[in-house]
Amino acid sequence: MEIWINPACSKCRSAISLLDAEGAEYTVRRYLEDVPSEDEIRGVLDRLGLEPWDITRTQEAAAKGLGLKEWARDDSSRDRWIAALAAHPKLIQRPIITADDGSAVVGRSEDAVRDALARK
């Protein structure tokens, strides 16, 4: 199990606390420092069953600067979104937990983190 976090994020800290309380074995990836490649983002999206616009923080300054709210959300625009996430990792929703069964969840709630813990 791996969790992508921004240490300044309260949702990330809550997810880590719950994983620790449950005795989970996991590795931490500080994705703002260890930026995921476009291929890694594609892999996580596949595991999440989501599209890049589904995990994009559109209220961030970088998103506004890029005009992301105006970008098309279709198959032909997918690579453009993924490139933007790789170039501006702060735009990636957090925390993302990759579960042991090959799936992943966006762990913004206790229920989502527990869902990841249950996926063995």
Side-chain angles (χ1 to χ4, degrees):
M1 183 178 289
E2 182 178 75
I3 182 169
W4 291 9
I5 68 159
N6 172 351
C9 169
S10 63
K11 300 280 187 190
C12 293
R13 292 190 307 270
S14 294
I16 293 280
S17 292
L18 181 55
L19 291 175
D20 288 345
E22 294 296 325
E25 291 185 23
Y26 62 92
T27 56
V28 171
R29 180 170 186 171
R30 293 178 180 219
Y31 71 93
L32 297 179
E33 299 163 13
D34 182 7
V35 178
S37 68
E38 290 183 27
D39 284 341
E40 287 175 304
I41 292 170
R42 281 187 192 88
V44 162
L45 288 167
D46 289 346
R47 292 175 80 168
L48 288 166
L50 297 174
E51 293 297 335
W53 45 85
D54 296 327
I55 65 162
T56 301
R57 299 171 54 85
T58 58
Q59 297 303 314
E60 292 287 337
K64 291 177 181 178
L66 292 169
L68 285 181
K69 283 192 173 185
E70 309 307 317
W71 288 14
R73 296 177 181 213
D74 57 27
D75 284 345
S76 65
S77 301
R78 191 171 199 263
D79 286 342
R80 182 182 186 198
W81 282 84
I82 290 169
L85 292 174
H88 305 278
K90 195 169 187 179
L91 297 178
I92 299 171
Q93 190 59 265
R94 63 201 183 237
I96 293 177
I97 303 169
T98 56
D100 292 339
D101 71 352
S103 65
V105 299
V106 178
R108 295 193 55 79
S109 69
E110 182 176 329
D111 287 344
V113 177
R114 290 194 183 284
D115 183 39
L117 284 166
R119 297 176 184 214
K120 298 267 181 214

